[in-house]
Amino acid sequence: MSAGVGTQRDPGTVRAPFGQRVRDWWNSRSRAEQWMITIPVVVLVYLLPMLNVFPLSTEPWTDYELALFNAARLGLIALGLNVVLGQAGLLDLGYVGFFAIGAYVAAIMTSRDSFLHNPHYSWLVVVPVAMAVTMISGVLIGTPTLRLRGDYLAIVTLGFGEMVRLLADNLDPLRGNRGFQDVGRPPGTHADGSPLFTQTDGKPWYWLTVTFIIVILLLIGNLERSRVGRAWVAIREDEDVAELMGIPTFRFKVWAFVMGAAIGGLSGVLYAGQVGFVNNQRFDVVTSILFVAAVVLGGSGNKVGVLLGALVISYLPDRFQLAPQYRFLAFGLALIVLMIFRPQGLLGARQRLLARGRQAYQRLVGAPEPVSADSALTEQGKGGDL
């Protein structure tokens, strides 16, 4: 046998890609070991505003702490849209409508410009009310429209987002461009009695938003491992087959819409409180498309991926204020490059069995189960299996 033939590598000995080896290592850890690794990462995330070592954090034209808050707020929005788009596979192009509803509820309940005549509702009351109102709006818009699919659903949801903006522009109680000033903020004071949450200090807002993100990650993670999460995945992969299997697809789609709406309303309250002013100028189609871009760029269906996508979408343009005429050009080029080399997103969704299913599979075949590197949207096009 020649030397060239003798050096040929056996296909069975080819090592898996580094990313897959890392994921297999993580999935082989016990729950306690995973928590021991996760907790230091969470502590580091909380310390970011004080470390000031994040890339481009010394840029003098943008406040570093507010840039972190804006990225965290967009991450919260992306998590809500990921429930609708990434988990249930519903293409929602009007998600900005729920974001706007939450912001306007906060403004109406706390601003001195409100038609309620100087309301003094506590911010702790505003949050559940805003989430409840957006959930109701999710039911109202979802019930007649979620029987549509694909492009038709996208057009209807896009119309919903525009309808909310036009109502805010034309209804006199919502004040159009005049907007609402002095929107309420969370309670809390410093040791000297000054307010803890202000328009210029981004640290408290960032910490509050990160706390909400962690709570929602835990809730969504539990849902993914439940019957609801399995139903969403089945609907996303093939709705007709899911219905034939006995899944009430319409009901689960409405649930996804409602949950996503609640998270969108929460992020709207945070935005309104930090800015202190709400009008109809920040709730346009471009903003809604940026929300979708954060989910698709990060990896539709991957919770950590959409957070990373939100960081790229929000933080990088905020930090390139030195040459503002080029920042969106650089942002667009970065998106094109990423979509060419990573069409599944930065962290594509990995379709895996649940924890006990993984253990059973590994006992039977002696190896981790195969995974798909395609994103949820790509899998919809292929009609992939569960």
Side-chain angles (χ1 to χ4, degrees):
M1 184 180 293
S2 64
V5 176
T7 58
Q8 186 176 1
R9 177 176 292 182
D10 184 1
T13 64
V14 176
R15 299 185 67 185
F18 175 76
Q20 183 174 340
R21 295 202 305 271
V22 172
R23 284 187 295 271
D24 292 338
W25 175 84
W26 172 261
N27 288 317
S28 66
R29 303 299 96 190
S30 66
R31 198 60 178 265
E33 291 174 330
Q34 291 179 349
W35 276 106
M36 292 297 293
I37 298 170
T38 303
I39 290 175
V41 175
V42 172
V43 172
L44 177 62
V45 170
Y46 272 104
L47 292 177
L48 279 180
M50 294 182 292
L51 295 177
N52 202 27
V53 295
F54 209 64
L56 304 174
S57 63
T58 57
E59 171 69 51
W61 286 270
T62 304
D63 186 86
Y64 169 61
E65 296 161 0
L66 286 178
L68 284 179
F69 163 68
N70 289 329
R73 178 174 56 81
L74 184 57
L76 183 63
I77 295 170
L79 280 178
L81 183 56
N82 186 55
V83 173
V84 181
L85 176 60
Q87 299 297 327
L90 306 174
L91 184 54
D92 184 358
L93 297 183
Y95 192 74
V96 71
F98 300 125
F99 177 62
I101 291 173
Y104 271 101
V105 170
I108 291 171
M109 294 185 66
T110 59
S111 172
R112 56 181 171 82
D113 296 323
S114 172
F115 57 84
L116 298 180
H117 305 295
N118 296 324
H120 296 286
Y121 293 101
S122 169
W123 192 85
L124 298 177
V125 175
V126 171
V127 171
V129 171
M131 294 178 70
V133 171
T134 51
M135 290 171 72
I136 293 172
S137 67
V139 173
L140 293 178
I141 188 63
T143 300
T145 62
L146 286 179
R147 300 187 188 279
L148 302 174
R149 302 183 189 179
D151 298 338
Y152 301 101
L153 178 62
I155 293 171
V156 171
T157 54
L158 183 64
F160 164 70
E162 278 295 282
M163 181 178 66
V164 172
R165 185 184 66 83
L166 292 174
L167 286 175
D169 190 26
N170 292 284
L171 292 181
D172 189 65
L174 300 182
R175 297 178 59 84
N177 289 332
R178 294 170 296 166
F180 297 87
Q181 300 180 6
D182 299 325
V183 179
R185 297 186 173 98
T189 58
H190 291 286
D192 58 0
S194 60
L196 178 62
F197 291 89
T198 63
Q199 188 174 355
T200 57
D201 188 3
K203 288 197 296 292
W205 292 104
Y206 171 76
W207 289 329
L208 179 63
T209 307
V210 168
T211 302
F212 279 127
I213 288 175
I214 292 173
V215 172
I216 289 172
L217 281 174
L218 293 174
L219 293 176
I220 293 177
N222 288 331
L223 276 176
E224 286 179 347
R225 294 185 290 271
S226 70
R227 178 172 176 264
V228 176
R230 295 193 294 271
W232 284 343
V233 172
I235 293 170
R236 181 187 69 201
E237 301 300 332
D238 195 317
E239 186 174 344
D240 292 327
V241 173
E243 195 162 1
L244 289 174
M245 292 169 60
I247 297 174
T249 57
F250 179 73
R251 183 198 309 168
F252 281 108
K253 288 196 295 184
V254 172
W255 284 3
F257 223 65
V258 168
M259 290 194 59
I263 300 173
L266 172 61
S267 58
V269 174
L270 291 170
Y271 163 77
Q274 190 276 321
V275 175
F277 176 76
V278 175
N279 69 358
N280 64 339
Q281 296 301 306
R282 289 298 303 272
F283 309 116
D284 54 4
V285 175
V286 175
T287 304
S288 191
I289 296 302
L290 283 177
F291 296 166
V292 177
V295 175
V296 176
L297 174 64
S300 180
N302 188 312
K303 301 187 295 297
V304 179
V306 300
L307 292 176
L308 183 59
L311 178 66
V312 173
I313 293 287
S314 175
Y315 188 83
L316 291 184
D318 275 353
R319 303 310 290 169
F320 282 104
Q321 296 290 347
L322 179 61
Q325 67 272 27
Y326 298 117
R327 63 185 183 130
F328 281 107
L329 174 61
F331 172 65
L333 291 175
L335 283 180
I336 292 173
V337 171
L338 285 169
M339 289 298 100
I340 290 174
F341 293 101
R342 294 285 296 179
Q344 72 271 29
L346 293 173
L347 296 176
R350 303 285 166 168
Q351 302 307 317
R352 286 187 172 272
L353 301 172
L354 298 179
R356 294 185 180 179
R358 285 201 303 268
Q359 296 170 5
Y361 187 96
Q362 192 160 4
R363 290 194 188 100
L364 286 173
V365 302
E369 86 280 8
V371 298
S372 170
D374 293 322
S375 68
L377 294 180
T378 306
E379 285 295 319
Q380 284 184 43
K382 293 180 180 179
D385 298 329
L386 288 176

